[in-house]
Amino acid sequence: MTDNVTLDIATGTAIWTDPTLDLATRVDALVAAMTLPEKVAQLYGVWVGAAADGGEVAPYQHEMEEPVDLADLLDAGLGQLTRPFGTAPVDPALGALSLLRTQQRIAAANRFGIPAMAHEECLAGFAAWGATAYPVPLSWGATFDPELIGRMAAAIGADLRRVGVHQGLAPVLDVVRDARWGRVEETIGEDPYLVGTIATAYVRGLESAGVVATLKHFAGYSASRGGRNLAPVPMGPRERADVILPPFEMAVREGGARSVMHAYTDTDGIPSAADEDLLTGLLRDAWGFPGTVVADYFGIAFLRTLHGVAGSWAEAAGAALAAGVDVELPTVKTFGEPLREALAAGAVPEALIDRAVRRVLTQKAQLGLLDADWSPVPAALAGADLSDPDALRGTVDLDPPANRALAREVAERAVVLLANDGTLPLHRPARIALVGPQAESPTAVLGCYSFPAHVGSRHPEVPVGIALPTLAAALRAEFADSVVVTEAGVCVDGDDTGGVAAAVAAARGADVVVAALGDRAGLFGRGTSGEGCDAESLALPGAQQHLLDALLDTGTPVVVTLLAGRPYALGRAVTDAAAIVQSFFPGEEGTPAIAGVLSGRVAPQGRLPVSVPRGPGAQPTTYLSARLGHASDVSNVDPTPAYGFGHGLGYTTFDWSGLVVDEPVAATDGELRLHFTVRNTGSRWGSEVVQVYAHDPVASVVQPVQRLVGYLRVPLEAGAACRIDLALPADLFSFTGRDGRRVVEPGALELRLAASSTDHRLVAAVALRGPARHVDHTRRLHPRFAVTPSAG
């Protein structure tokens, strides 16, 4: 019960409900007033689905858990509501009403009137029926444009917030280590600096809308052995420190993320969910992270069932709490009765509960959920007649024109032109043969965590909820004067080649072939890309390579167009295709974006966030390999990519010249300064991406041959030029030394100013002098660019 310690003497109101007081005072007062069961109740959620008629949510029945009875839980409170919109197709307005009514019930049932935090997936937009399906994160990386991704995230956050959602389970900061991994589509790329800068922009955008961003998966999930989902992670501490952790570090320090989700995997035998050094020692004590750590779904229970480091549910709960996990998701399991029994027996210290509940309640206070005037009515329903659910139906639009315009902008920026012999842009061909399994598939543009793929596939009787123009429809709209004929040829993942003959006939009768190839997103083996859809090799799925080779044999120019979740080896198309256009599940506006690139209406601007392999079997490999990871005379396997990280062509050309290094030697605590000129030497507008790579020829530990330390997108009109001034702090060249500490070492360096990791335009030989210098998470993370229009 509340007492005089937790009441404002002047007003008689509970201290924790007063938003004018500091957060710590409010939270301390509330924690002091709560019983132990009430504290524990704030540390778990329930997986629910909104009611289609606007009634209260219903617990989701799934194979991982036994059913939950809300009535048995609510007297003590409830910390989280899991995926009220993302569990089943529900009209957004009625979903918001369902969530509102449930929040009223939750707040009314507990002594303190505390509502739950509602969280949703937002990896490719708000994962709700009728919400905008944006390009997947791998396409975000292909934009090399943090500002654009920040605007997209702000739009996603605004949609989440206005229907009552408080927390988004994004972004994914896993750095690609093996492209066979099924969740590559959810990642931003294979370089930690690119991942960190794009993800940090996404975090800022989401948080700017008042939505808690959740960094995942912390840490090392993408480095699983063999690219298999949830397989053990064999990496050492240096790979973890220099490749896996920097994006998280950047997003915590610069992005203001308020939540982190632990990874499922174990690294060198230690599961992330039970790794106190990671979740507390590094994340909180070293980096100063103040927010909540939430479990990946069922991840705490996996300590018992998959990892075998806990003998009971109570032991799993205690291990996770001790490590620093605050919230069990998606539903109550180990943090329920097993944890309460362990607390009663003294097996789990109550101090761990107090530590976690303070973090959860602080976040709720930040969101206004503890305020005396808190209302469960979200902005989308403000002023509406809540007594008439039928009248609400269709009143909340989660895919308005502004969203679609933004989705198209991201999609257009992300399309990567890999190769072009001059065939593109197409000049009014009389007949186009659009051939391949992606030609007539409306869902070819969607990733695994888009609502239609993730949830809608289980409800085929329900309309998709958003417009998804097929590539055939987009080409017919783009090339109105052309005849566009379509043939599937093969399925995405089948081995039936019976349709190839018709496809070849269509190709022979056309002026140009557009080969529409790629992936089908799905879950746990139901697709060729997505969670649990790992690949044995990077050959195109099914019989698609057979179809592609047959098309190349026709002699008709073939433009290979990929709508995929990962990079694939393309065989002889690398040398024989007229052009290759790569897109990574580009979202609902993806096919118009691709069609625009083919016609020339859209200038290609994307750059590869992952390398495209030359052969299907040379995995795992990324451009960040050390010398022994590159081609050599001592192995017959050549991992050299067909197209390297950062590669992308346009419809114009750029000249880089006039490199001047102000001073080629800097102190280990100083910075290097240089400048150069970039000129658009073509006949149309274009956008160059200046990439800066560091090569360290001699270091105390083995280094990658090169690594990205900065980039800048530079748009220029035809004939225009600009001077680029670049300052690189010595901190950018730091790495984890032999003693496990990050160090800036003196010695020679090479700065490669490049259009890609395989296309170095200017090279500067520089050096650092002075004593070796140790740095920490407060080090400088970015170079400084200044761009000035130039005539020279």
Side-chain angles (χ1 to χ4, degrees):
M1 299 294 290
T2 59
D3 53 34
N4 287 337
V5 175
T6 56
L7 291 179
D8 184 298
I9 302 301
T11 64
T13 59
I15 287 174
W16 55 84
T17 67
D18 185 353
T20 67
L21 298 175
D22 67 89
L23 289 175
T25 298
R26 297 173 67 190
V27 170
D28 286 347
L30 180 52
V31 171
M34 298 175 86
T35 64
L36 185 55
E38 288 169 335
K39 296 175 188 176
V40 171
Q42 292 297 313
L43 307 184
Y44 54 72
V46 174
W47 194 337
V48 297
D53 61 0
E56 289 185 11
V57 301
Y60 177 46
Q61 308 300 312
H62 48 85
E63 66 277 7
M64 297 288 287
E65 294 292 335
E66 51 276 354
V68 172
D69 188 340
L70 274 178
D72 291 342
L73 297 177
L74 295 190
D75 283 352
L78 184 64
Q80 294 249 345
L81 285 171
T82 299
R83 303 203 65 192
F85 290 86
T87 298
V90 176
D91 176 88
L94 297 182
L97 179 61
S98 179
L99 178 56
L100 177 161
R101 288 176 170 171
T102 303
Q103 290 282 40
Q104 286 177 320
R105 179 185 176 190
I106 293 169
N110 69 83
R111 290 192 303 137
F112 306 103
I114 307 172
M117 284 185 64
H119 73 254
E120 282 292 354
E121 299 284 1
C122 54
L123 279 170
F126 183 6
W129 185 84
T132 305
Y134 291 93
V136 297
L138 201 57
S139 275
W140 310 351
T143 71
F144 274 70
D145 193 335
E147 186 275 335
L148 175 59
I149 301 308
R151 286 195 283 121
M152 180 194 73
I156 294 170
D159 284 337
L160 290 164
R161 199 72 176 96
R162 70 190 180 99
V163 295
V165 176
H166 308 106
Q167 183 168 357
L169 301 186
V172 168
L173 292 88
D174 293 302
V175 178
V176 175
R177 303 302 283 160
D178 188 331
R180 295 173 298 179
W181 189 49
R183 303 189 79 167
V184 165
E185 65 175 71
E186 300 176 38
T187 73
I188 293 168
E190 68 182 41
D191 177 84
Y193 186 77
L194 177 67
V195 173
T197 49
I198 296 290
T200 298
Y202 184 93
V203 168
R204 287 171 172 162
L206 206 65
E207 292 278 355
S208 73
V211 173
V212 174
T214 307
L215 311 181
K216 57 188 196 182
H217 307 86
F218 195 61
Y221 185 25
S222 59
S224 58
R225 184 177 280 116
R228 294 180 58 246
N229 198 42
L230 268 68
V233 174
M235 67 181 170
R238 186 164 290 103
E239 181 182 354
R240 186 189 227 189
D242 288 353
V243 177
I244 300 299
L245 293 177
F248 292 94
E249 185 179 0
M250 190 182 295
V252 166
R253 178 178 162 190
E254 299 183 342
R258 286 183 282 175
S259 191
V260 169
M261 177 181 281
H262 75 70
Y264 283 132
T265 42
D266 71 85
T267 300
D268 195 26
I270 308 298
S272 293
D275 191 342
E276 186 173 2
D277 289 339
L278 178 71
L279 301 181
T280 297
L282 178 68
L283 179 63
R284 296 191 184 279
D285 296 343
W287 293 353
F289 174 70
T292 58
V293 173
V294 303
D296 202 346
Y297 286 13
F298 311 107
I300 299 175
F302 287 168
L303 293 177
R304 178 185 181 187
T305 59
L306 295 185
H307 295 296
V309 297
S312 66
W313 302 130
E315 288 182 12
L321 280 166
V325 180
D326 303 310
V327 176
E328 181 176 25
L329 295 179
T331 191
V332 57
K333 177 68 173 181
T334 69
F335 278 16
E337 188 60 27
L339 177 57
R340 289 191 290 271
E341 291 177 358
L343 287 163
V348 174
E350 187 172 348
L352 293 179
I353 304 299
D354 288 347
R355 181 178 73 172
V357 79
R358 278 191 170 88
R359 294 166 181 165
V360 170
L361 293 176
T362 296
Q363 208 155 81
K364 289 192 173 187
Q366 291 171 339
L367 293 165
L369 302 184
L370 303 185
D371 295 355
D373 63 353
W374 170 80
S375 169
V377 181
L381 299 182
D385 181 1
L386 304 182
S387 66
D388 187 0
D390 286 339
L392 290 175
R393 192 181 303 274
T395 61
V396 175
D397 186 0
L398 295 180
D399 189 31
N403 279 17
R404 292 197 74 99
L406 185 53
R408 182 175 292 204
E409 186 178 357
V410 177
E412 290 178 350
R413 191 70 52 84
V415 174
V416 185
L417 180 60
L418 297 183
N420 185 21
D421 67 0
T423 297
L424 295 183
L426 298 177
H427 299 290
R428 303 180 68 179
R431 190 174 182 88
I432 300 172
L434 176 60
V435 176
Q438 304 290 54
E440 299 273 13
S441 172
T443 57
V445 295
L446 299 179
C448 172
Y449 269 79
S450 66
F451 186 89
H454 201 74
V455 179
S457 60
R458 301 198 303 270
H459 301 270
E461 75 285 358
V462 178
V464 174
I466 53 176
L468 293 173
T470 65
L471 187 56
L475 286 184
R476 289 186 176 114
E478 192 75 31
F479 297 94
D481 297 331
S482 303
V483 175
V484 178
V485 297
T486 63
E487 291 286 348
V490 299
C491 297
V492 166
D493 56 350
D495 57 5
D496 183 358
T497 59
V500 172
V504 167
R508 292 188 189 279
D511 298 292
V512 65
V513 178
V514 175
L517 311 174
D519 279 315
R520 183 183 67 255
L523 280 168
F524 304 115
R526 295 192 291 272
T528 60
S529 174
E531 185 172 1
C533 298
D534 309 316
E536 293 184 359
S537 81
L538 294 183
L540 282 165
Q544 292 185 71
Q545 187 67 53
H546 176 80
L547 171 64
L548 178 54
D549 289 344
L551 296 175
L552 293 170
D553 285 338
T554 65
T556 305
V558 177
V559 177
V560 181
T561 304
L562 296 147
L563 296 100
R566 62 164 66 84
Y568 285 106
L570 301 173
R572 51 184 278 228
V574 172
T575 55
D576 294 359
I580 303 174
V581 176
Q582 173 79 66
S583 69
F584 298 108
F585 288 142
E588 63 184 36
E589 289 290 321
T591 56
I594 292 169
V597 166
L598 297 183
S599 73
R601 174 178 56 81
V602 174
Q605 298 183 61
R607 299 295 186 270
L608 282 176
V610 285
S611 305
V612 172
R614 186 169 299 277
Q619 289 294 314
T621 183
T622 77
Y623 98 95
L624 280 175
S625 298
R627 293 177 194 177
L628 290 178
H630 290 251
S632 71
D633 295 334
V634 297
S635 173
N636 63 319
V637 176
D638 183 354
T640 303
Y643 305 102
F645 172 83
H647 171 76
L649 305 177
Y651 291 151
T652 189
T653 54
F654 295 91
D655 177 69
W656 302 35
S657 63
L659 174 62
V660 174
V661 179
D662 291 350
E663 177 56 59
V665 178
T668 52
D669 61 353
E671 66 179 18
L672 295 159
R673 296 185 182 89
L674 52 88
H675 58 85
F676 57 99
T677 297
V678 174
R679 178 181 292 278
N680 182 344
T681 54
S683 59
R684 60 180 287 176
W685 178 92
S687 184
E688 182 71 295
V689 177
V690 172
Q691 300 164 46
V692 185
Y693 295 88
H695 167 62
D696 191 344
V698 179
S700 58
V701 297
V702 174
Q703 292 292 289
V705 170
Q706 60 182 345
R707 58 186 175 91
L708 187 72
V709 295
Y711 63 88
L712 179 70
R713 183 172 283 282
V714 182
L716 288 171
E717 296 291 341
C722 65
R723 167 175 158 151
I724 298 175
D725 292 282
L726 176 60
L728 298 112
D731 291 6
L732 300 184
F733 311 115
S734 65
F735 56 86
T736 301
R738 292 193 174 207
D739 62 359
R741 293 188 293 168
R742 183 169 287 275
V743 63
V744 180
E745 290 185 345
L749 294 169
E750 191 175 273
L751 298 178
R752 300 171 174 178
L753 309 176
S756 77
S757 61
T758 54
D759 183 5
H760 306 146
R761 299 297 179 86
L762 300 169
V763 176
V766 297
L768 298 178
R769 295 287 183 263
R773 174 173 152 263
H774 288 104
V775 295
D776 59 17
H777 69 283
T778 63
R779 70 192 181 281
R780 296 168 71 180
L781 301 176
H782 307 283
R784 298 193 314 278
F785 288 95
V787 180
T788 307
S790 171

